[in-house]
Amino acid sequence: MDHFLYRDGILHAEDVALADIAATVGTPFYCYSAATLTRHYQLFTEALSPLPHLVCFAIKSLSNVAVLKLLGDLGAGMDVVSGGEYRRARAAGVPGDRIVFSGVGKTREEMRLALNGGIRQFNVESEPELRALSDVAVSLGVTAPIALRVNPDVDARTHEKIATGKSENKFGVPIAKARAVYAEAARLPGIDVVGIDVHIGSQLTELAPFEAAFTKVRELTEALRADGHNIRRLDLGGGLGIPYTRSNEAPPLPTEYGAMIRRVLGDLGCEIEIEPGRLISGNSGVLVSQVVYVKNGEGRDFLILDAAMNDLVRPSMYGAHHDIIPVVEPAAASPVQAFDVVGPVCETGDTFAKARALPHLAEGDLVAFRSAGAYGAVMASEYNTRPLVPEVLVKGDHFAVIRARPTFDEILSRDTIPEWL
Ligand code: LLP
C-alpha cells in the first residue's frame, strides 16, 4: 500500500496534488511520501518485534538526508557502503552505533572515518580488508566490531546484475572458508568479532532463497560458537522485492519474511539486523514528468517525455518495468493507445517502455512513474548536461524541496579551464 492516489481526478501524494508540486518545482522531479516510508519501515520492525533487532535502511536505495532523518527519527539504523553514505547518515543525526558499513572495497580512509565517528559494525568482505581494518584500528588505538559477510552460494533467482549470493559473484567470503577467516579475525589485534553477515541479492520475489541462505547462517553460527566465537548478531542483508506492477505480482510480505526469520533463527539468542532498501523506499516515491511531444512514427507512436534515462536509469539498465500513469485521472472508459515512452537523450537506450498501453496523452500532460523511490534519484546523472533531477518530500498537506534542481551556472561552474589552455 502507498499514499499515491487519485483524489478529485488528480494524482496526489498524501494530501498534496502532484500537479501543484509540478507548477512550483517544474518537471521532472521525484516525490516521496513520508507516510509510505514510515509505514514500510514499521512493517519490518513489527515483523521482527519479538526478537531484539535493528532495521538498517540501505541508504544506497534513497540517500536524501531528509529521508534519512525521517527514518532515523523513527529509530532506524542505516546500512552504508561508502564514506559519503556514512557522512549522509551522520548528517541526518543517526548515531554511529546504529550504522553498519558494507561493501567490498572500503578504503583505509573510510575505515578511519567510521572508527573515529562511531560505528556499529563493519561487514567485512575479504581477508585483505580484515587485515587493513585491523591495522587502521590499531593505529587509532580502538577496536573495530566486525561481522564477516559470507557468500552462501545460493541462487537468489533475480536479475543477474543484482544477484550477489552465488560463488561467482564478487561479494563476501565463501561460506566453506568462513571458519578459517573467523579464526584469523579472532587472532588479529583491534578486531572484535560480533556476528555474521549475509546478503544474497535484490528484488527477490520468493522466500526460499532467503531461507536457504539463513539456514546456512544458522549452521555457521553453531559451528563458530563451537570454535569459541561470541556470535551475538546476525545481519541478514536486504533484498525483499516489491510489486512493480499493480496487477499480478505478489512478492512475500514483510510479515511472512519476518516469520520465516523467527522460525529459522529465532532461538539462537542473536540480535537480528536487516538491511532493506527497496521495500522501504521503492513504492514511497514517484518520478513526475511532462509530455514534450507526441510523435507519430513509422507504425508506432512515441511519447517523448522531459524525463530521461539519466533521471531514471532502471528501464535502460535492467530492462526494468515501471508503471506509468497520467497525473490527471483518465475517465473510466477512456480508450488506450500503445506508446513507446522515451526521453530526450541521444541514444536509443533512452526508452522507458515499448508499446505501453496508455490513455490519450498530449503535449504538456503530466505522467508519474510509479515505484521510483528506490534506485531512482540516487542513480541519476547529468548525462547530456541535464540538471540533476530535484527531490520533493510530502508529509500530509506539506511539501518541501529536499534537493533543489541545480542551475546551469552551478553546473558549468564545476568545470575549470586550466590556465595553460
Ligand atoms: N545490503 C547490501 C549489502 C546490498 O548490497 C543491498 C543492495 C541492500 C542491502 C539493499 O537491497 P534491497 O533491499 O534494496 O533490495 N540498482 C539496482 C539494485 C542494486 C542493489 C544493490 N544492493 C536496481 O535498481 O534494481
Side-chain angles (χ1 to χ4, degrees), residues 99-170:
I99 302 176
V100 300
F101 203 142
S102 303
V104 292
K106 302 173 199 79
T107 63
R108 286 173 166 77
E109 201 181 320
E110 289 174 322
M111 293 170 179
R112 267 190 291 277
L113 174 75
L115 283 170
N116 283 329
I119 189 78
R120 178 179 179 83
Q121 107 215 358
F122 290 91
N123 290 332
V124 172
E125 301 226 11
S126 66
E127 291 133 294
E129 183 195 334
L130 184 62
R131 292 170 202 143
L133 184 59
S134 165
D135 284 350
V136 174
V138 169
S139 74
L140 295 175
V142 298
T143 301
I146 70 124
L148 197 66
R149 176 165 175 185
V150 295
N151 186 324
D153 196 20
V154 164
D155 184 355
R157 289 192 283 217
T158 181
H159 191 286
E160 58 164 349
K161 285 190 182 159
I162 53 176
T164 55
K166 286 289 285 175
S167 53
E168 67 260 30
N169 302 132
K170 68 180 175 183

Side-chain angles (χ1 to χ4, degrees), residues 44 56-61 79-81 102-103 123 125 149 159 161-164 171 197-204 210 235-241 244 274-281 313-314 317-318 320 322 374-376 378-379:
F44 279 116
C56 296
F57 177 58
I59 291 189
K60 64 168 77 67
S61 71
D79 167 43
V80 306
V81 291
S102 303
N123 290 332
E125 301 226 11
R149 176 165 175 185
H159 191 286
K161 285 190 182 159
I162 53 176
T164 55
F171 299 98
D197 171 46
V198 71
H199 170 79
I200 58 171
S202 193
Q203 187 53 18
L204 272 71
F210 285 119
D235 182 336
L236 306 176
L240 192 59
Y244 274 96
I274 55 170
E275 303 169 353
R278 192 189 313 261
L279 202 136
I280 293 180
S281 54
V313 77
R314 303 192 69 259
M317 190 157 175
Y318 312 110
H322 285 264
Y375 308 107
V378 286
M379 294 180 80

Side-chain angles (χ1 to χ4, degrees), residues 254-335:
T255 41
E256 296 164 317
Y257 171 79
M260 183 272 289
I261 290 174
R262 298 202 316 266
R263 176 165 52 75
V264 177
L265 301 167
D267 62 341
L268 289 173
C270 285
E271 185 174 7
I272 301 294
E273 296 164 344
I274 55 170
E275 303 169 353
R278 192 189 313 261
L279 202 136
I280 293 180
S281 54
N283 283 320
S284 301
V286 295
L287 171 65
V288 178
S289 178
Q290 191 169 32
V291 178
V292 184
Y293 297 115
V294 178
K295 174 171 162 176
N296 303 120
E298 196 73 38
R300 62 184 67 215
D301 293 329
F302 295 98
L303 199 64
I304 304 176
L305 302 180
D306 66 358
M309 63 187 290
N310 69 297
D311 304 307
L312 177 65
V313 77
R314 303 192 69 259
S316 64
M317 190 157 175
Y318 312 110
H321 172 100
H322 285 264
D323 277 354
I324 302 168
I325 58 171
V327 166
V328 175
E329 187 174 20
S334 62

